[in-house]
Amino acid sequence: MTFPLERPARLAVFASGRGSNLRALAAAFPPGDPFASVVLVLGNRRDAGALSLAEAYGVPARAVPFGGDRDRFEREADALLRTFGVDLVCLAGFMRVLSPAFTARYAGRILNIHPSLLPLFPGLHAQRQALSAGVRESGCTVHFVDAGVDTGEAVVQRRVPVLPGDTEEGLAERILQEEHRAYPEAVRRVLMGQVHSGVGAHA
Ligand code: GAR
């Protein structure tokens, strides 16, 4: 598949938690939008706020528990992505690591958002890592997903100052405001064919 498409793009959002990035994406790409729409939300926890938020936006939501069985999760997720004809997958607060086989299958068609200026501070507690490192600015990155953890090519980064006396919660909240701008911008750039991931991206 090559972007841009000659029809509205179909997006899926994978989320594990409250879903504020899902809200930003669903607002930017609503049902019936001529450019792109979120057509599926997949939560790996039944209590993910993202699932009820999806319903509020009129977007089909499915709970697919991850449990200890990643293979089963990925088989079910793959089947749903095919059923809903999804073009681009957006991980938004999805706190599980997908297999190399899955990320290879969706290479160039799967994005993640992370609350740091990657390659700095990958993995968990990125804001805490930034404060511990004493950096004067941090931010967020939307990147293509590859087989590593937070290692794929960056599509959009937005910067946020780290203020004297910042707490982890305060910094996280300030970064989150930028995440809500960065994710729709990154999706637009990918769908318009302005950025591609590396080898195999559009096989
Ligand atoms: C966001 O800050 C996102 O960047 C982060 O989880 C939060 C989810 O918030 N993701 C990661 O840390 C992934 N490594 P949300 O559920 O309100 O979108």
Side-chain angles (χ1 to χ4, degrees), residues 13-24 49-50 53 91-96 112-116 121-127 139-141 143 149-150 172-173 175-176 179-180 183:
V13 178
F14 285 16
S16 305
R18 76 193 143 179
S20 73
N21 278 290
L22 163 64
R23 186 194 299 275
L53 197 59
L91 309 184
F94 183 72
M95 304 308 276
R96 297 290 182 158
N112 180 45
I113 189 155
H114 184 77
S116 76
F121 316 129
L124 293 176
H125 308 301
Q127 302 92 339
C140 61
T141 305
H143 63 94
V149 174
D150 303 325
E173 180 54 36
I175 292 174
L176 198 61
E179 292 185 39
H180 299 160
Y183 220 156

Side-chain angles (χ1 to χ4, degrees), residues 92-187:
F94 183 72
M95 304 308 276
R96 297 290 182 158
V97 177
L98 296 165
S99 72
F102 189 92
T103 57
R105 193 171 319 129
Y106 288 92
R109 302 200 293 132
I110 180 165
L111 298 173
N112 180 45
I113 189 155
H114 184 77
S116 76
L117 296 174
L118 291 171
L120 294 175
F121 316 129
L124 293 176
H125 308 301
Q127 302 92 339
R128 194 184 304 169
Q129 293 184 57
L131 290 176
S132 303
V135 293
R136 297 179 63 177
E137 68 171 6
S138 190
C140 61
T141 305
V142 181
H143 63 94
F144 286 107
V145 176
D146 65 11
V149 174
D150 303 325
T151 50
E153 270 170 73
V155 177
V156 167
Q157 290 193 308
R158 291 184 71 95
R159 293 169 183 277
V160 165
V162 177
L163 304 178
D166 242 347
T167 60
E168 191 178 339
E169 293 71 26
L171 179 60
E173 180 54 36
R174 218 170 320 111
I175 292 174
L176 198 61
Q177 298 312 313
E178 294 306 315
E179 292 185 39
H180 299 160
R181 298 187 178 96
Y183 220 156
E185 181 187 343
V187 167

